Amino acid sequence: MKKFDMKRFGQVLKLDFAEGRKAMMWGALCMTLLYLFFFWFAWNIGFHDSRFDYINNPDERLRLQVSVICEAVGSFSAIAMFFFLLIGASTLYRGEQKKQQRIAWLMLPASNREKFLSRWIYLVVFSLVGGLLSFFVADLAHIAYLWMSDNPVMTTIDDFFYIMPHVPEGGGIIDLLSTIMMYSFLIALHAFYLLGGVFFKKFHFIAVSALVVILFVGFVGVFNMLVSPGQPNPVSHTFYYISVTIFWTLVITLFTWLAYRLFCRWQVVTHKFANV
């Protein structure tokens, strides 16, 4: 097993970004256009002034309309971005599923750790550029439109990042912990799609999504059998959210480690549908 070498790792990282530059640019462009389409749809088809005619003050009516549009676009954009991240994770090694590319990748003079970490860093940057940076660009374009059309200027960023599960006794630290718990779950799901992308050779996103649905249905069934609907919960909300967050953190670590271990076992000749 080769030792980790920073210079060699830098060369692999440079190669990954050079080969994936075009995919990153196209991903960012497509997501920017999709976000802009959401804004266009909300202004021209999704919402109309007549919905807010019950408000007598024209300025207040216009401000409410812009606020509703930003909230709706932020929510739909967040969902679209997450699907973009899942697709990116599950197709991270799509190019290496062809025999010639796989041979070239396996023969690359670098350790498996260097190659896996390099591609993982590329995935993070790809996700940030395609999912987040493109939304900031679209939001700035929307802000410019609001300013030029004399509408109340509002940003959609808060609605884009807002993930808050229902908390019966919310407020303060409970709301923060519930948000952290939700994000940790989403990152764990992302790590599972990365594992599926390393495992499957074809239909990566569809195969992993089908597996997620099966596991979710099974989990819900087991949960309903173990927990009675009217059973009181003696555990405090703070302890619950901290415990669940720690659990999802361990799951993230497990899925990422399994993806790396499976990547280390790659061979030139594998099963038709799986890298085993």
Side-chain angles (χ1 to χ4, degrees):
M1 181 178 180
K2 296 181 179 180
K3 294 183 179 180
F4 188 90
D5 183 84
M6 282 300 300
K7 184 177 180 180
R8 192 171 56 207
F9 170 71
Q11 294 297 324
V12 178
L13 191 63
K14 183 178 179 180
L15 176 64
D16 277 333
F17 276 91
E19 293 181 345
R21 181 176 62 248
K22 184 179 294 186
M24 187 180 300
M25 293 175 60
W26 275 109
L29 176 61
C30 292
M31 290 302 295
T32 302
L33 294 176
L34 179 61
Y35 294 143
L36 291 175
F37 170 77
F38 287 156
F39 282 115
W40 174 86
F41 183 88
W43 276 102
N44 293 276
I45 300 177
F47 298 93
H48 302 283
D49 293 336
S50 58
R51 289 188 54 188
F52 308 96
D53 286 344
Y54 65 93
I55 301 177
N56 296 325
N57 189 330
D59 294 335
E60 184 64 25
R61 182 169 63 245
L62 186 58
R63 178 171 293 277
L64 178 60
Q65 180 185 7
V66 174
S67 176
V68 170
I69 287 175
C70 289
E71 182 179 351
V73 172
S75 300
F76 280 103
S77 298
I79 295 173
M81 182 205 67
F82 191 62
F83 274 101
F84 172 79
L85 299 184
L86 297 183
I87 293 174
S90 61
T91 59
L92 183 61
Y93 291 97
R94 182 179 57 183
E96 283 71 30
Q97 304 310 324
K98 297 180 180 179
K99 187 175 180 179
Q100 196 64 32
Q101 286 88 333
R102 179 184 289 261
I103 294 176
W105 179 251
L106 293 177
M107 294 185 64
L108 195 66
S111 66
N112 287 327
R113 190 185 308 173
E114 292 162 356
K115 288 186 282 189
F116 182 83
L117 182 59
S118 173
R119 190 61 65 88
W120 184 85
I121 292 177
Y122 169 80
L123 173 63
V124 173
V125 176
F126 175 82
S127 302
L128 293 176
V129 172
L132 293 180
L133 183 61
S134 57
F135 179 79
F136 292 147
V137 172
D139 188 51
L140 286 175
H142 182 244
I143 290 175
Y145 165 77
L146 294 176
W147 178 70
M148 290 186 296
S149 58
D150 293 328
N151 285 303
V153 177
M154 297 182 184
T155 180
T156 321
I157 294 177
D158 291 340
D159 299 301
F160 180 73
F161 285 103
Y162 182 82
I163 299 179
M164 186 74 70
H166 175 68
V167 183
E169 299 177 5
I173 188 64
I174 299 299
D175 288 340
L176 176 62
L177 291 175
S178 63
T179 303
I180 294 175
M181 181 195 71
M182 183 61 67
Y183 272 107
S184 63
F185 165 73
L186 296 178
I187 296 174
L189 186 61
H190 183 267
F192 185 74
Y193 271 78
L194 173 62
L195 173 60
V198 177
F199 178 77
F200 291 107
K201 292 189 65 175
K202 296 181 178 180
F203 314 111
H204 307 83
F205 180 75
I206 298 176
V208 182
S209 298
L211 189 58
V212 168
V213 172
I214 294 173
L215 292 176
F216 177 77
V217 172
F219 173 79
V220 171
V222 173
F223 181 82
N224 290 333
M225 287 189 297
L226 296 178
V227 180
S228 302
Q231 183 177 354
N233 182 15
V235 182
S236 67
H237 286 96
T238 302
F239 179 79
Y240 168 77
Y241 289 119
I242 292 177
S243 301
V244 175
T245 301
I246 294 175
F247 169 76
W248 287 124
T249 303
L250 295 176
V251 169
I252 294 169
T253 305
L254 175 63
F255 286 161
T256 306
W257 179 80
L258 288 175
Y260 168 69
R261 296 305 302 172
L262 181 60
F263 171 77
C264 292
R265 296 175 62 87
W266 271 18
Q267 303 293 330
V268 175
V269 180
T270 59
H271 192 271
K272 184 177 181 180
F273 295 102
N275 290 305
V276 291

